[in-house]
Amino acid sequence: EGDLGKVSYVRAAGDENKNNVGDEIRLTAEYTENPNYTVEIVPGMLTIVAAGDNGVSAEGQTVTYDGTGHGLKRAEALKEGSTLWYSTDNKEFSETAPLFTEAGSYTVYVKAKNPNYADTDTAEATVEIKKRGLEFKTLKKEKDYDGTPLTNPAFEVTKGDTAPGQELQVYVSGSITEAGRTANTVSSYRVVAAGTDAADEKAKDYKSNYEIRYTEEELIVNLAAGNRVTAEGQTVEYDGKAYGLISASAEKEGSTLLYSTNGTEYSETAPTFTEAGTHTVYVKATNPNYKETEAVSAAVVIRPRNVTITVNSASKTYGTKDPEFTGNYDDLVSSGAVVKEGDLGKVDRKST
């Protein structure tokens, strides 16, 4: 004891600063030389085993779709010098942190590697990209009927907007020609890169990243002015037959004529008259594309027929009873008309 002085066991020269897992660290002995001994040192090895107290944490985030990539808000290892590894399926990992652009919910798995620590357990966090809200409406348009289709391809964004570098394209198909109203309908819409030709059917559509709502305003074709009615009456002599207007017509095609004898109650049946007198007929027209016309009037005049009653002369002997008197009335056979039996009641022949 003491022949070699104090024997100390230390790291070999050059290995003093090796402190990582996997380093080859030789151990040797230091002593005091003694001429009485030939000393052989059998070196040892120091092995550094990976520590197990590293860890990893990750924090996700929730954002609204904006067309750009989004990943974890934060991911870090407990121990300095660690390398983070990422995965989207918890199977295949890489050092590249994933980014996501499309709306959806994405789980990211993270673990850490460090040369002096055992691989960490896997942490996970969620990146949620919410759909972007967007609302629009088609626009109203109105005119009086003119026989041509009314359309309005315009639309207006009423709430929200598109992501930078994108635009909303709306295809509006509403159309109406006849008087009435209809929705200015949307046939389709899409969100594409700004400046995309509307005719480019192959352009990428980003609308799955949006929550889109829309309303449809109306296309209105009003009844037009300008329809007119004409009517022509007639004057005839009573012959027992029915007579009405010679003609009645509306200027605009598709009109329906309405008739009245009192200017208040109208029907589609044209009136006729048989009895002598002045009969006023009121006529107006309706049309699905025009305002109702003003009423016009025309007269059907049936003049009384002139009839001559001729009483035959007679004679008798004084003091005797009057004979039966006779006579006749003109039936105007030459005109083609016949005075109807009973029109003049019972014709009596008597003396006056």
Side-chain angles (χ1 to χ4, degrees), residues 3-37:
D3 285 353
L4 300 179
K6 182 180 179 181
V7 178
S8 299
Y9 304 99
V10 297
R11 296 186 182 205
D15 291 350
E16 296 90 340
N17 296 318
K18 293 181 178 180
N19 290 301
N20 295 318
V21 173
D23 286 349
E24 291 188 0
I25 304 172
R26 296 165 300 155
L27 300 179
T28 188
E30 294 181 345
Y31 61 93
T32 301
E33 292 185 4
N34 188 320
N36 296 316
Y37 297 92

PDB file of all heavy atoms in Angstrom, residues 3-37:
ATOM      1  N   ASP A   3       3.035   1.955  -2.373  1.00  0.00           N
ATOM      2  CA  ASP A   3       4.214   1.841  -3.228  1.00  0.00           C
ATOM      3  C   ASP A   3       4.024   2.620  -4.533  1.00  0.00           C
ATOM      4  O   ASP A   3       5.009   3.102  -5.103  1.00  0.00           O
ATOM      5  CB  ASP A   3       4.502   0.373  -3.564  1.00  0.00           C
ATOM      6  CG  ASP A   3       5.127  -0.382  -2.385  1.00  0.00           C
ATOM      7  OD1 ASP A   3       5.449   0.299  -1.385  1.00  0.00           O
ATOM      8  OD2 ASP A   3       5.258  -1.605  -2.490  1.00  0.00           O
ATOM      9  N   LEU A   4       2.747   2.708  -5.005  1.00  0.00           N
ATOM     10  CA  LEU A   4       2.484   3.430  -6.264  1.00  0.00           C
ATOM     11  C   LEU A   4       1.829   4.799  -6.008  1.00  0.00           C
ATOM     12  O   LEU A   4       1.283   5.419  -6.908  1.00  0.00           O
ATOM     13  CB  LEU A   4       1.564   2.603  -7.179  1.00  0.00           C
ATOM     14  CG  LEU A   4       2.125   1.230  -7.595  1.00  0.00           C
ATOM     15  CD1 LEU A   4       1.110   0.505  -8.474  1.00  0.00           C
ATOM     16  CD2 LEU A   4       3.445   1.401  -8.362  1.00  0.00           C
ATOM     17  N   GLY A   5       2.010   5.199  -4.738  1.00  0.00           N
ATOM     18  CA  GLY A   5       1.377   6.475  -4.388  1.00  0.00           C
ATOM     19  C   GLY A   5      -0.143   6.302  -4.374  1.00  0.00           C
ATOM     20  O   GLY A   5      -0.674   5.203  -4.216  1.00  0.00           O
ATOM     21  N   LYS A   6      -0.857   7.396  -4.571  1.00  0.00           N
ATOM     22  CA  LYS A   6      -2.325   7.332  -4.628  1.00  0.00           C
ATOM     23  C   LYS A   6      -2.739   7.002  -6.058  1.00  0.00           C
ATOM     24  O   LYS A   6      -2.437   7.726  -6.991  1.00  0.00           O
ATOM     25  CB  LYS A   6      -2.940   8.660  -4.194  1.00  0.00           C
ATOM     26  CG  LYS A   6      -4.460   8.621  -4.204  1.00  0.00           C
ATOM     27  CD  LYS A   6      -5.049   9.954  -3.756  1.00  0.00           C
ATOM     28  CE  LYS A   6      -6.568   9.896  -3.797  1.00  0.00           C
ATOM     29  NZ  LYS A   6      -7.167  11.174  -3.393  1.00  0.00           N
ATOM     30  N   VAL A   7      -3.399   5.868  -6.233  1.00  0.00           N
ATOM     31  CA  VAL A   7      -3.860   5.446  -7.567  1.00  0.00           C
ATOM     32  C   VAL A   7      -5.238   6.062  -7.829  1.00  0.00           C
ATOM     33  O   VAL A   7      -6.158   5.852  -7.041  1.00  0.00           O
ATOM     34  CB  VAL A   7      -3.925   3.908  -7.675  1.00  0.00           C
ATOM     35  CG1 VAL A   7      -4.442   3.513  -9.050  1.00  0.00           C
ATOM     36  CG2 VAL A   7      -2.561   3.305  -7.391  1.00  0.00           C
ATOM     37  N   SER A   8      -5.308   6.803  -8.928  1.00  0.00           N
ATOM     38  CA  SER A   8      -6.586   7.421  -9.313  1.00  0.00           C
ATOM     39  C   SER A   8      -7.059   6.855 -10.642  1.00  0.00           C
ATOM     40  O   SER A   8      -6.245   6.577 -11.551  1.00  0.00           O
ATOM     41  CB  SER A   8      -6.429   8.943  -9.465  1.00  0.00           C
ATOM     42  OG  SER A   8      -6.019   9.520  -8.249  1.00  0.00           O
ATOM     43  N   TYR A   9      -8.382   6.680 -10.793  1.00  0.00           N
ATOM     44  CA  TYR A   9      -8.988   6.150 -12.024  1.00  0.00           C
ATOM     45  C   TYR A   9      -9.715   7.299 -12.750  1.00  0.00           C
ATOM     46  O   TYR A   9     -10.627   7.908 -12.217  1.00  0.00           O
ATOM     47  CB  TYR A   9      -9.963   5.015 -11.709  1.00  0.00           C
ATOM     48  CG  TYR A   9      -9.279   3.917 -10.925  1.00  0.00           C
ATOM     49  CD1 TYR A   9      -9.402   3.838  -9.533  1.00  0.00           C
ATOM     50  CD2 TYR A   9      -8.485   2.986 -11.587  1.00  0.00           C
ATOM     51  CE1 TYR A   9      -8.759   2.844  -8.836  1.00  0.00           C
ATOM     52  CE2 TYR A   9      -7.831   1.987 -10.863  1.00  0.00           C
ATOM     53  CZ  TYR A   9      -7.972   1.923  -9.504  1.00  0.00           C
ATOM     54  OH  TYR A   9      -7.318   0.952  -8.799  1.00  0.00           O
ATOM     55  N   VAL A  10      -9.264   7.563 -13.948  1.00  0.00           N
ATOM     56  CA  VAL A  10      -9.741   8.757 -14.659  1.00  0.00           C
ATOM     57  C   VAL A  10      -9.967   8.429 -16.134  1.00  0.00           C
ATOM     58  O   VAL A  10      -9.599   7.352 -16.618  1.00  0.00           O
ATOM     59  CB  VAL A  10      -8.711   9.895 -14.542  1.00  0.00           C
ATOM     60  CG1 VAL A  10      -8.525  10.326 -13.083  1.00  0.00           C
ATOM     61  CG2 VAL A  10      -7.349   9.461 -15.107  1.00  0.00           C
ATOM     62  N   ARG A  11     -10.551   9.407 -16.817  1.00  0.00           N
ATOM     63  CA  ARG A  11     -10.706   9.271 -18.263  1.00  0.00           C
ATOM     64  C   ARG A  11      -9.341   9.395 -18.918  1.00  0.00           C
ATOM     65  O   ARG A  11      -8.501  10.147 -18.465  1.00  0.00           O
ATOM     66  CB  ARG A  11     -11.616  10.365 -18.834  1.00  0.00           C
ATOM     67  CG  ARG A  11     -13.052  10.290 -18.322  1.00  0.00           C
ATOM     68  CD  ARG A  11     -13.910  11.313 -19.054  1.00  0.00           C
ATOM     69  NE  ARG A  11     -15.296  11.326 -18.589  1.00  0.00           N
ATOM     70  CZ  ARG A  11     -16.323  11.725 -19.317  1.00  0.00           C
ATOM     71  NH1 ARG A  11     -16.102  12.163 -20.564  1.00  0.00           N
ATOM     72  NH2 ARG A  11     -17.534  11.718 -18.808  1.00  0.00           N
ATOM     73  N   ALA A  12      -9.196   8.656 -19.982  1.00  0.00           N
ATOM     74  CA  ALA A  12      -7.926   8.714 -20.708  1.00  0.00           C
ATOM     75  C   ALA A  12      -7.788  10.073 -21.376  1.00  0.00           C
ATOM     76  O   ALA A  12      -8.774  10.772 -21.623  1.00  0.00           O
ATOM     77  CB  ALA A  12      -7.876   7.598 -21.742  1.00  0.00           C
ATOM     78  N   ALA A  13      -6.565  10.431 -21.661  1.00  0.00           N
ATOM     79  CA  ALA A  13      -6.289  11.697 -22.311  1.00  0.00           C
ATOM     80  C   ALA A  13      -7.043  11.767 -23.632  1.00  0.00           C
ATOM     81  O   ALA A  13      -7.031  10.822 -24.419  1.00  0.00           O
ATOM     82  CB  ALA A  13      -4.794  11.853 -22.545  1.00  0.00           C
ATOM     83  N   GLY A  14      -7.679  12.911 -23.894  1.00  0.00           N
ATOM     84  CA  GLY A  14      -8.454  13.109 -25.140  1.00  0.00           C
ATOM     85  C   GLY A  14      -9.910  12.754 -24.994  1.00  0.00           C
ATOM     86  O   GLY A  14     -10.718  13.081 -25.874  1.00  0.00           O
ATOM     87  N   ASP A  15     -10.270  12.052 -23.937  1.00  0.00           N
ATOM     88  CA  ASP A  15     -11.675  11.664 -23.750  1.00  0.00           C
ATOM     89  C   ASP A  15     -12.346  12.427 -22.617  1.00  0.00           C
ATOM     90  O   ASP A  15     -13.465  12.107 -22.211  1.00  0.00           O
ATOM     91  CB  ASP A  15     -11.767  10.162 -23.461  1.00  0.00           C
ATOM     92  CG  ASP A  15     -11.396   9.319 -24.673  1.00  0.00           C
ATOM     93  OD1 ASP A  15     -11.252   9.911 -25.774  1.00  0.00           O
ATOM     94  OD2 ASP A  15     -11.295   8.095 -24.538  1.00  0.00           O
ATOM     95  N   GLU A  16     -11.668  13.452 -22.156  1.00  0.00           N
ATOM     96  CA  GLU A  16     -12.195  14.165 -21.005  1.00  0.00           C
ATOM     97  C   GLU A  16     -13.546  14.837 -21.291  1.00  0.00           C
ATOM     98  O   GLU A  16     -14.384  14.965 -20.392  1.00  0.00           O
ATOM     99  CB  GLU A  16     -11.203  15.227 -20.534  1.00  0.00           C
ATOM    100  CG  GLU A  16      -9.874  14.685 -20.009  1.00  0.00           C
ATOM    101  CD  GLU A  16      -8.829  14.557 -21.120  1.00  0.00           C
ATOM    102  OE1 GLU A  16      -9.247  14.514 -22.307  1.00  0.00           O
ATOM    103  OE2 GLU A  16      -7.638  14.518 -20.816  1.00  0.00           O
ATOM    104  N   ASN A  17     -13.768  15.278 -22.536  1.00  0.00           N
ATOM    105  CA  ASN A  17     -14.971  16.054 -22.840  1.00  0.00           C
ATOM    106  C   ASN A  17     -16.031  15.280 -23.620  1.00  0.00           C
ATOM    107  O   ASN A  17     -16.979  15.868 -24.163  1.00  0.00           O
ATOM    108  CB  ASN A  17     -14.591  17.311 -23.628  1.00  0.00           C
ATOM    109  CG  ASN A  17     -13.709  18.248 -22.806  1.00  0.00           C
ATOM    110  OD1 ASN A  17     -13.963  18.460 -21.615  1.00  0.00           O
ATOM    111  ND2 ASN A  17     -12.677  18.793 -23.427  1.00  0.00           N
ATOM    112  N   LYS A  18     -15.822  13.996 -23.690  1.00  0.00           N
ATOM    113  CA  LYS A  18     -16.837  13.189 -24.365  1.00  0.00           C
ATOM    114  C   LYS A  18     -17.952  12.857 -23.373  1.00  0.00           C
ATOM    115  O   LYS A  18     -17.701  12.222 -22.355  1.00  0.00           O
ATOM    116  CB  LYS A  18     -16.214  11.904 -24.907  1.00  0.00           C
ATOM    117  CG  LYS A  18     -15.212  12.140 -26.031  1.00  0.00           C
ATOM    118  CD  LYS A  18     -14.648  10.817 -26.528  1.00  0.00           C
ATOM    119  CE  LYS A  18     -13.688  11.004 -27.685  1.00  0.00           C
ATOM    120  NZ  LYS A  18     -13.132   9.723 -28.177  1.00  0.00           N
ATOM    121  N   ASN A  19     -19.185  13.316 -23.752  1.00  0.00           N
ATOM    122  CA  ASN A  19     -20.290  13.129 -22.807  1.00  0.00           C
ATOM    123  C   ASN A  19     -21.599  12.703 -23.465  1.00  0.00           C
ATOM    124  O   ASN A  19     -22.669  12.796 -22.861  1.00  0.00           O
ATOM    125  CB  ASN A  19     -20.550  14.432 -22.034  1.00  0.00           C
ATOM    126  CG  ASN A  19     -19.421  14.746 -21.074  1.00  0.00           C
ATOM    127  OD1 ASN A  19     -19.126  13.951 -20.180  1.00  0.00           O
ATOM    128  ND2 ASN A  19     -18.768  15.893 -21.278  1.00  0.00           N
ATOM    129  N   ASN A  20     -21.496  12.255 -24.709  1.00  0.00           N
ATOM    130  CA  ASN A  20     -22.716  11.882 -25.408  1.00  0.00           C
ATOM    131  C   ASN A  20     -22.872  10.372 -25.504  1.00  0.00           C
ATOM    132  O   ASN A  20     -21.900   9.624 -25.517  1.00  0.00           O
ATOM    133  CB  ASN A  20     -22.732  12.469 -26.817  1.00  0.00           C
ATOM    134  CG  ASN A  20     -22.790  13.991 -26.791  1.00  0.00           C
ATOM    135  OD1 ASN A  20     -23.530  14.563 -25.992  1.00  0.00           O
ATOM    136  ND2 ASN A  20     -22.013  14.636 -27.652  1.00  0.00           N
ATOM    137  N   VAL A  21     -24.145   9.987 -25.625  1.00  0.00           N
ATOM    138  CA  VAL A  21     -24.406   8.558 -25.816  1.00  0.00           C
ATOM    139  C   VAL A  21     -23.688   8.099 -27.076  1.00  0.00           C
ATOM    140  O   VAL A  21     -23.751   8.748 -28.117  1.00  0.00           O
ATOM    141  CB  VAL A  21     -25.923   8.305 -25.928  1.00  0.00           C
ATOM    142  CG1 VAL A  21     -26.191   6.852 -26.298  1.00  0.00           C
ATOM    143  CG2 VAL A  21     -26.637   8.658 -24.629  1.00  0.00           C
ATOM    144  N   GLY A  22     -22.977   6.973 -26.949  1.00  0.00           N
ATOM    145  CA  GLY A  22     -22.274   6.430 -28.104  1.00  0.00           C
ATOM    146  C   GLY A  22     -20.814   6.830 -28.204  1.00  0.00           C
ATOM    147  O   GLY A  22     -20.065   6.265 -28.995  1.00  0.00           O
ATOM    148  N   ASP A  23     -20.388   7.810 -27.405  1.00  0.00           N
ATOM    149  CA  ASP A  23     -18.966   8.188 -27.434  1.00  0.00           C
ATOM    150  C   ASP A  23     -18.127   7.050 -26.834  1.00  0.00           C
ATOM    151  O   ASP A  23     -18.531   6.396 -25.856  1.00  0.00           O
ATOM    152  CB  ASP A  23     -18.733   9.462 -26.602  1.00  0.00           C
ATOM    153  CG  ASP A  23     -19.248  10.708 -27.303  1.00  0.00           C
ATOM    154  OD1 ASP A  23     -19.589  10.612 -28.501  1.00  0.00           O
ATOM    155  OD2 ASP A  23     -19.347  11.780 -26.646  1.00  0.00           O
ATOM    156  N   GLU A  24     -16.956   6.792 -27.427  1.00  0.00           N
ATOM    157  CA  GLU A  24     -16.006   5.835 -26.854  1.00  0.00           C
ATOM    158  C   GLU A  24     -15.132   6.567 -25.833  1.00  0.00           C
ATOM    159  O   GLU A  24     -14.287   7.381 -26.190  1.00  0.00           O
ATOM    160  CB  GLU A  24     -15.155   5.215 -27.949  1.00  0.00           C
ATOM    161  CG  GLU A  24     -15.935   4.293 -28.872  1.00  0.00           C
ATOM    162  CD  GLU A  24     -14.999   3.554 -29.829  1.00  0.00           C
ATOM    163  OE1 GLU A  24     -13.764   3.768 -29.755  1.00  0.00           O
ATOM    164  OE2 GLU A  24     -15.515   2.777 -30.648  1.00  0.00           O
ATOM    165  N   ILE A  25     -15.350   6.291 -24.599  1.00  0.00           N
ATOM    166  CA  ILE A  25     -14.629   6.986 -23.519  1.00  0.00           C
ATOM    167  C   ILE A  25     -13.760   5.947 -22.786  1.00  0.00           C
ATOM    168  O   ILE A  25     -14.273   5.016 -22.148  1.00  0.00           O
ATOM    169  CB  ILE A  25     -15.611   7.643 -22.536  1.00  0.00           C
ATOM    170  CG1 ILE A  25     -16.553   8.597 -23.295  1.00  0.00           C
ATOM    171  CG2 ILE A  25     -14.872   8.373 -21.428  1.00  0.00           C
ATOM    172  CD1 ILE A  25     -17.671   9.153 -22.457  1.00  0.00           C
ATOM    173  N   ARG A  26     -12.453   6.100 -22.944  1.00  0.00           N
ATOM    174  CA  ARG A  26     -11.517   5.149 -22.302  1.00  0.00           C
ATOM    175  C   ARG A  26     -11.218   5.591 -20.875  1.00  0.00           C
ATOM    176  O   ARG A  26     -11.135   6.784 -20.601  1.00  0.00           O
ATOM    177  CB  ARG A  26     -10.226   5.076 -23.104  1.00  0.00           C
ATOM    178  CG  ARG A  26     -10.404   4.509 -24.521  1.00  0.00           C
ATOM    179  CD  ARG A  26      -9.191   4.797 -25.387  1.00  0.00           C
ATOM    180  NE  ARG A  26      -8.973   6.252 -25.513  1.00  0.00           N
ATOM    181  CZ  ARG A  26      -7.804   6.800 -25.768  1.00  0.00           C
ATOM    182  NH1 ARG A  26      -6.723   6.042 -25.912  1.00  0.00           N
ATOM    183  NH2 ARG A  26      -7.690   8.113 -25.883  1.00  0.00           N
ATOM    184  N   LEU A  27     -11.049   4.606 -20.020  1.00  0.00           N
ATOM    185  CA  LEU A  27     -10.688   4.864 -18.623  1.00  0.00           C
ATOM    186  C   LEU A  27      -9.276   4.327 -18.354  1.00  0.00           C
ATOM    187  O   LEU A  27      -8.906   3.250 -18.842  1.00  0.00           O
ATOM    188  CB  LEU A  27     -11.694   4.180 -17.689  1.00  0.00           C
ATOM    189  CG  LEU A  27     -13.154   4.628 -17.823  1.00  0.00           C
ATOM    190  CD1 LEU A  27     -14.026   3.855 -16.855  1.00  0.00           C
ATOM    191  CD2 LEU A  27     -13.281   6.127 -17.578  1.00  0.00           C
ATOM    192  N   THR A  28      -8.509   5.077 -17.593  1.00  0.00           N
ATOM    193  CA  THR A  28      -7.132   4.660 -17.274  1.00  0.00           C
ATOM    194  C   THR A  28      -6.857   4.940 -15.794  1.00  0.00           C
ATOM    195  O   THR A  28      -7.749   5.426 -15.082  1.00  0.00           O
ATOM    196  CB  THR A  28      -6.117   5.392 -18.170  1.00  0.00           C
ATOM    197  OG1 THR A  28      -4.823   4.816 -17.953  1.00  0.00           O
ATOM    198  CG2 THR A  28      -6.098   6.884 -17.891  1.00  0.00           C
ATOM    199  N   ALA A  29      -5.641   4.619 -15.409  1.00  0.00           N
ATOM    200  CA  ALA A  29      -5.263   4.843 -14.001  1.00  0.00           C
ATOM    201  C   ALA A  29      -4.052   5.782 -13.951  1.00  0.00           C
ATOM    202  O   ALA A  29      -3.168   5.739 -14.805  1.00  0.00           O
ATOM    203  CB  ALA A  29      -4.930   3.523 -13.323  1.00  0.00           C
ATOM    204  N   GLU A  30      -4.006   6.591 -12.946  1.00  0.00           N
ATOM    205  CA  GLU A  30      -2.846   7.474 -12.691  1.00  0.00           C
ATOM    206  C   GLU A  30      -2.202   7.038 -11.370  1.00  0.00           C
ATOM    207  O   GLU A  30      -2.923   6.799 -10.393  1.00  0.00           O
ATOM    208  CB  GLU A  30      -3.309   8.939 -12.637  1.00  0.00           C
ATOM    209  CG  GLU A  30      -3.819   9.463 -13.963  1.00  0.00           C
ATOM    210  CD  GLU A  30      -4.252  10.919 -13.876  1.00  0.00           C
ATOM    211  OE1 GLU A  30      -4.421  11.406 -12.736  1.00  0.00           O
ATOM    212  OE2 GLU A  30      -4.435  11.569 -14.936  1.00  0.00           O
ATOM    213  N   TYR A  31      -0.861   6.932 -11.359  1.00  0.00           N
ATOM    214  CA  TYR A  31      -0.120   6.434 -10.150  1.00  0.00           C
ATOM    215  C   TYR A  31       1.266   7.075 -10.122  1.00  0.00           C
ATOM    216  O   TYR A  31       1.688   7.712 -11.098  1.00  0.00           O
ATOM    217  CB  TYR A  31      -0.010   4.898 -10.209  1.00  0.00           C
ATOM    218  CG  TYR A  31       0.752   4.403 -11.426  1.00  0.00           C
ATOM    219  CD1 TYR A  31       2.153   4.161 -11.327  1.00  0.00           C
ATOM    220  CD2 TYR A  31       0.120   4.227 -12.659  1.00  0.00           C
ATOM    221  CE1 TYR A  31       2.855   3.729 -12.444  1.00  0.00           C
ATOM    222  CE2 TYR A  31       0.833   3.796 -13.752  1.00  0.00           C
ATOM    223  CZ  TYR A  31       2.201   3.544 -13.651  1.00  0.00           C
ATOM    224  OH  TYR A  31       2.907   3.131 -14.755  1.00  0.00           O
ATOM    225  N   THR A  32       1.969   6.779  -9.031  1.00  0.00           N
ATOM    226  CA  THR A  32       3.354   7.265  -8.884  1.00  0.00           C
ATOM    227  C   THR A  32       4.297   6.115  -9.262  1.00  0.00           C
ATOM    228  O   THR A  32       4.172   4.996  -8.742  1.00  0.00           O
ATOM    229  CB  THR A  32       3.637   7.698  -7.442  1.00  0.00           C
ATOM    230  OG1 THR A  32       2.694   8.740  -7.095  1.00  0.00           O
ATOM    231  CG2 THR A  32       5.061   8.222  -7.286  1.00  0.00           C
ATOM    232  N   GLU A  33       5.162   6.406 -10.210  1.00  0.00           N
ATOM    233  CA  GLU A  33       6.073   5.357 -10.671  1.00  0.00           C
ATOM    234  C   GLU A  33       7.000   4.912  -9.527  1.00  0.00           C
ATOM    235  O   GLU A  33       7.426   5.709  -8.702  1.00  0.00           O
ATOM    236  CB  GLU A  33       6.912   5.852 -11.852  1.00  0.00           C
ATOM    237  CG  GLU A  33       6.076   6.086 -13.102  1.00  0.00           C
ATOM    238  CD  GLU A  33       6.949   6.462 -14.289  1.00  0.00           C
ATOM    239  OE1 GLU A  33       8.187   6.459 -14.140  1.00  0.00           O
ATOM    240  OE2 GLU A  33       6.378   6.725 -15.380  1.00  0.00           O
ATOM    241  N   ASN A  34       7.323   3.590  -9.573  1.00  0.00           N
ATOM    242  CA  ASN A  34       8.200   2.974  -8.551  1.00  0.00           C
ATOM    243  C   ASN A  34       9.104   1.998  -9.274  1.00  0.00           C
ATOM    244  O   ASN A  34       8.604   1.116  -9.996  1.00  0.00           O
ATOM    245  CB  ASN A  34       7.348   2.254  -7.512  1.00  0.00           C
ATOM    246  CG  ASN A  34       8.166   1.766  -6.332  1.00  0.00           C
ATOM    247  OD1 ASN A  34       9.295   1.278  -6.498  1.00  0.00           O
ATOM    248  ND2 ASN A  34       7.575   1.845  -5.135  1.00  0.00           N
ATOM    249  N   PRO A  35      10.468   2.173  -9.090  1.00  0.00           N
ATOM    250  CA  PRO A  35      11.393   1.298  -9.831  1.00  0.00           C
ATOM    251  C   PRO A  35      11.266  -0.170  -9.434  1.00  0.00           C
ATOM    252  O   PRO A  35      11.785  -1.055 -10.116  1.00  0.00           O
ATOM    253  CB  PRO A  35      12.767   1.858  -9.462  1.00  0.00           C
ATOM    254  CG  PRO A  35      12.572   2.607  -8.200  1.00  0.00           C
ATOM    255  CD  PRO A  35      11.203   3.134  -8.236  1.00  0.00           C
ATOM    256  N   ASN A  36      10.553  -0.412  -8.391  1.00  0.00           N
ATOM    257  CA  ASN A  36      10.396  -1.798  -7.976  1.00  0.00           C
ATOM    258  C   ASN A  36       9.252  -2.518  -8.717  1.00  0.00           C
ATOM    259  O   ASN A  36       9.046  -3.718  -8.506  1.00  0.00           O
ATOM    260  CB  ASN A  36      10.139  -1.865  -6.460  1.00  0.00           C
ATOM    261  CG  ASN A  36      11.336  -1.361  -5.659  1.00  0.00           C
ATOM    262  OD1 ASN A  36      12.481  -1.710  -5.963  1.00  0.00           O
ATOM    263  ND2 ASN A  36      11.074  -0.494  -4.668  1.00  0.00           N
ATOM    264  N   TYR A  37       8.523  -1.731  -9.550  1.00  0.00           N
ATOM    265  CA  TYR A  37       7.352  -2.333 -10.221  1.00  0.00           C
ATOM    266  C   TYR A  37       7.356  -1.998 -11.702  1.00  0.00           C
ATOM    267  O   TYR A  37       7.765  -0.910 -12.106  1.00  0.00           O
ATOM    268  CB  TYR A  37       6.042  -1.816  -9.615  1.00  0.00           C
ATOM    269  CG  TYR A  37       5.872  -2.181  -8.150  1.00  0.00           C
ATOM    270  CD1 TYR A  37       6.302  -1.303  -7.145  1.00  0.00           C
ATOM    271  CD2 TYR A  37       5.285  -3.406  -7.797  1.00  0.00           C
ATOM    272  CE1 TYR A  37       6.144  -1.626  -5.805  1.00  0.00           C
ATOM    273  CE2 TYR A  37       5.143  -3.716  -6.445  1.00  0.00           C
ATOM    274  CZ  TYR A  37       5.537  -2.834  -5.470  1.00  0.00           C
ATOM    275  OH  TYR A  37       5.392  -3.151  -4.157  1.00  0.00           O
TER     276      TYR A  37
END
